[in-house]
Amino acid sequence: MSRFETGGEWVFRSNGVTKSYDGGKTYANRDISIEVHPGEVYGLLGPNGAGKSTLVKQVIGLLKPDSGSIHLGVHDLVADPDAARQLCSYLPQAPMPIESFKLHEAIQLTGEIRGGDRAAIVKRANEMIEAMQIEEWRDTLGAKLSGGVRRLVGFVMVTVVPGRVVILDEPTNDVDPLRRRLLWEQIRLLGEMGASVFLVTHNVMEAEKAVDRLAVIADGELLAEGTPSSLKIADRGCLRLQVMLVPGAPDPPFPPMVRHHSRVGNNLISTINEVDAGDGIAWAQRLMSDGVAEEYALGAITLEDAYIRLTGHVSEENAEMAS
Amino acid sequence: MTTDSIAIGPPAAIRAGSTHWLRSLGAMLRWHLTSMRLVFPVMVVVQMLVAAGFSIGMSLFYVEVSPTTGLYLATGAAIITLILVGLVVTPQVVAGEKEAGTYDFSWSLPIPRSASVVAWVILSAIVSVPSMLVALVVAAWRLDVTYYVSWLVIPAVVLVVVSGTLIGYAIAHAIASPSLTQLVSQVLAFGVLGFTPITYPLENLPEWLQNVHLVLPFYHMGVVVRDSLTLGVVDDVGLAYSIVLGWTLASVLVTGLVIGRRK
């Protein structure tokens, strides 16, 4: 695979993008300004309904901002949706309409629609099918594929001839853990080819490993932006103390050392200073001996703690674990 | 585009021009035909059966028919088939896409919007024209009529397919709710089948409805197609052509506005 020029001419810039519904009563996006460089994997992270999908739909021209601009290099993507569709590839969150396509047909045809050369598509499609380990379903109709394999086929369809911007809305949904890893490798390769990858996700743990930079969005607003490490800076010198409460137990009284905390189900996540580690453990052990908690874990601060601090939400996968 | 040293990768320039347009049209037709390949043959056969059933039904309804009435009924069945496919099937397919959530993906593909529309019109013709032929053949057999086919059959059929499909297309894209789209297309089908003077003369309707039909395209669609298949059955063909042409242009315009619109 060749490397493409990744000069400044393909920088993505959104400036003050605002989008409202119901005649301005509800804001899906409010004043979103971001800049993404070729080769970057850029995460858009936020709870469901935060406005992530609305933002990327404005990039690809499915929706139009109320105000603000979106540029890719010299191209004004709001004014020229035809250019937006050619320059961006888009994997929506919804399932792909490939029931009557054989796996390889769906990829080949989308590649041709995306303007690729027929022989080059065949070559790259085969490479990607092999890399994702989905060869055994090459000639299977989409209707007979599992949700996870269909998701991967969707990914190959939109990236066999990638856009300058590749928008992936929850690409790992339904994908098994092994192939998830393979998918991340392919996403990284897109960056190496010179594409800017927009990764829309509510899965904080995955995002932490996969993205170069990310934006945290909630209620339509950009709350923070930066590398995963830079978002954790505010929590530097802190630890994460996770306590699993006995089902139905009320919140215990929090000692002053707990900087902030949140709870999903019976899962209590709090942030404490490193120097309070001993006291924190003692507090958690006391909760266990009082019969309020079942177990606890003390660990390094993760992106999720920054995410909780910023959005007030516990990420979905943690919510699922807790329930 | 790509160079020799670069096998494949992000686009370097925006594609435009007639080659891009034609390539896109071809690709989109293949996309639709493949995505409908499980239902498309069934759809064509069902439409043919409906057309044949319609012709047979008419022949059963009227015990004795004069040659002129026979021609009227025979061509009426064919014309209704031709109109209904575009008007009803198009909104239903688009509504289905919206319901399944796949509309965003098809609409995000880098195909010129005009090529997407033309692909739909061609698909609509692939279903409706054979159905119309079946209707004509079955009706000729049951009602014992002879057609006089003129070259005008080509522009007449093209105008009816284009305007019928585009009206359906504009409805499908203008209405956000899939169930409302389904409802509107059903009402249209009902109106065209029952209350449009295609299988019976205009004079049989109350005067106010006659006036409505002098403005709506359906009656005139009937006139232009019937004129191209018969001799001396219809008059005022010039007026009918100008009204159908007007509706075709209007439907092209409205479709252009609807597909160019972003919420």
Side-chain angles (χ1 to χ4, degrees):
Chain A
M1 199 57 51
S2 321
R3 194 182 166 84
F4 284 75
E5 49 80 25
T6 54
E9 64 174 308
W10 291 108
V11 174
F12 173 93
R13 286 191 184 88
S14 82
N15 198 352
V17 169
T18 299
K19 175 77 187 166
S20 66
Y21 289 114
D22 307 332
K25 280 186 215 142
T26 333
Y27 279 88
N29 290 148
R30 201 194 281 256
D31 196 22
I32 306 261
S33 300
I34 53 175
E35 188 174 299
V36 183
H37 291 261
E40 268 191 313
V41 178
Y42 190 88
L44 291 171
L45 196 62
N48 285 337
K52 310 176 299 269
S53 295
T54 304
L55 180 63
V56 295
K57 282 183 185 178
Q58 293 169 90
V59 174
I60 189 86
L62 291 171
L63 295 171
K64 194 177 180 183
D66 298 348
S67 60
S69 66
I70 303 173
H71 282 87
L72 181 57
V74 295
H75 300 278
D76 182 340
L77 302 188
V78 176
D80 190 354
D82 280 332
R85 295 201 304 278
Q86 287 193 33
L87 292 171
C88 308
S89 11
Y90 174 49
L91 176 69
Q93 208 176 333
M96 293 298 234
I98 54 167
E99 284 84 356
S100 17
F101 287 82
K102 288 178 182 167
L103 186 154
H104 72 94
E105 288 174 335
I107 296 167
Q108 182 71 26
L109 195 45
T110 333
E112 286 178 34
I113 288 174
R114 294 206 51 78
D117 167 72
R118 211 168 271 198
I121 296 168
V122 172
K123 185 166 172 285
R124 178 158 154 82
N126 285 338
E127 286 168 6
M128 290 183 81
I129 288 171
E130 201 178 316
M132 301 284 217
Q133 300 186 6
I134 50 176
E135 307 96 310
E136 60 181 292
W137 299 285
R138 222 178 160 284
D139 294 311
T140 307
L141 282 180
K144 293 185 178 155
L145 297 173
S146 71
V149 175
R150 272 178 82 146
R151 200 77 196 131
L152 293 172
V153 177
F155 171 78
V156 182
M157 283 165 71
V158 302
T159 58
V160 67
V161 179
R164 286 275 154 194
V165 167
V166 176
I167 300 164
L168 305 171
D169 199 341
E170 307 284 0
T172 55
N173 276 3
D174 299 333
V175 177
D176 63 78
L178 164 75
R179 291 194 178 82
R180 229 171 237 232
R181 197 171 50 75
L182 303 174
L183 177 59
W184 287 122
E185 283 170 15
Q186 291 298 314
I187 293 174
R188 285 252 61 106
L189 280 175
L190 287 170
E192 284 173 28
M193 287 172 81
S196 307
V197 181
F198 279 72
L199 182 71
V200 179
T201 183
H202 59 243
N203 189 326
V204 187
M205 293 178 194
E206 277 190 351
E208 179 161 19
K209 283 176 262 171
V211 305
D212 297 312
R213 286 193 305 134
L214 72 150
V216 178
I217 298 180
D219 298 325
E221 297 196 44
L222 182 69
L223 300 179
E225 201 209 11
T227 61
S229 317
S230 74
L231 291 185
K232 289 188 279 184
I233 278 181
D235 291 315
R236 183 169 286 170
C238 293
L239 291 171
R240 161 200 183 95
L241 179 59
Q242 193 167 358
V243 177
M244 189 61 82
L245 296 174
V246 170
D251 278 5
F254 291 97
M257 69 180 160
V258 173
R259 289 162 58 111
H260 37 83
H261 60 86
S262 60
R263 176 176 178 168
V264 175
N266 303 310
N267 194 4
L268 196 64
I269 300 165
S270 33
T271 308
I272 59 171
N273 285 328
E274 274 171 359
V275 291
D276 295 326
D279 292 343
I281 292 173
W283 174 59
Q285 282 173 336
R286 207 161 45 243
L287 290 176
M288 283 173 65
S289 59
D290 290 350
V292 181
E294 290 181 331
E295 58 176 336
Y296 75 92
L298 185 67
I301 284 288
T302 65
L303 184 60
E304 183 171 32
D305 299 292
Y307 179 83
I308 292 170
R309 177 169 46 76
L310 289 163
T311 65
H313 285 262
V314 174
S315 77
E316 308 272 321
E317 68 272 26
N318 225 323
E320 279 157 23
M321 273 158 52
S323 62
Chain B
M1 292 294 290
T2 54
T3 67
D4 287 339
S5 61
I6 295 166
I8 206 160
I14 305 294
R15 288 166 284 135
S18 54
T19 315
H20 167 56
W21 196 92
L22 285 171
R23 239 189 108 164
S24 299
L25 174 66
M28 213 53 213
L29 270 174
R30 279 167 59 210
W31 175 269
H32 285 309
L33 286 171
T34 314
S35 67
M36 292 202 267
R37 74 170 150 211
L38 303 177
V39 292
F40 202 74
V42 180
M43 208 189 259
V44 175
V45 169
V46 166
Q47 284 302 327
M48 285 179 172
L49 287 175
V50 168
F54 209 50
S55 298
I56 292 171
M58 295 243 188
S59 68
L60 293 174
F61 195 72
Y62 297 89
V63 184
E64 260 180 68
V65 288
S66 69
T68 309
T69 311
L71 267 180
Y72 218 88
L73 295 174
T75 49
I79 293 160
I80 284 188
T81 304
L82 199 60
I83 298 175
L84 280 189
V85 170
L87 209 57
V88 177
V89 175
T90 306
Q92 287 185 348
V93 172
V94 175
E97 271 196 352
K98 284 187 181 169
E99 217 146 40
T102 55
Y103 180 78
D104 277 352
F105 173 70
S106 349
W107 219 225
S108 75
L109 291 171
I111 299 275
R113 294 283 189 244
S114 53
S116 294
V117 175
V118 173
W120 258 117
V121 174
I122 293 173
L123 283 172
S124 173
I126 294 176
V127 181
S128 60
V129 172
S131 312
M132 173 188 150
L133 291 175
V134 168
L136 285 174
V137 170
V138 173
W141 160 60
R142 294 290 305 184
L143 297 161
D144 195 23
V145 293
T146 312
Y147 307 111
Y148 295 90
V149 183
S150 83
W151 64 271
L152 280 171
V153 73
I154 293 170
V157 167
V158 168
L159 282 179
V160 171
V161 170
V162 171
S163 54
T165 308
L166 290 191
I167 293 170
Y169 198 86
I171 289 171
H173 288 266
I175 303 175
S177 150
S179 46
L180 189 60
T181 309
Q182 302 269 22
L183 186 71
V184 169
S185 72
Q186 297 292 352
V187 169
L188 266 176
F190 184 67
V192 171
L193 275 173
F195 298 99
T196 300
I198 290 177
T199 48
Y200 50 83
L202 182 66
E203 296 74 37
N204 291 10
L205 287 173
E207 202 177 328
W208 69 270
L209 200 50
Q210 289 186 31
N211 290 330
V212 170
H213 275 297
L214 288 176
V215 182
L216 288 178
F218 310 116
Y219 165 69
H220 301 287
M221 287 173 167
V223 172
V224 297
V225 177
R226 186 166 283 139
D227 170 66
S228 70
L229 297 170
T230 59
L231 265 185
V233 177
V234 290
D235 43 29
D236 263 350
V237 180
L239 173 74
Y241 265 103
S242 51
I243 287 177
V244 174
L245 194 63
W247 272 94
T248 308
L249 293 177
S251 64
V252 170
L253 197 72
V254 171
T255 303
L257 287 175
V258 167
I259 60 173
R261 194 186 57 162
R262 280 170 293 161
K263 289 197 194 84

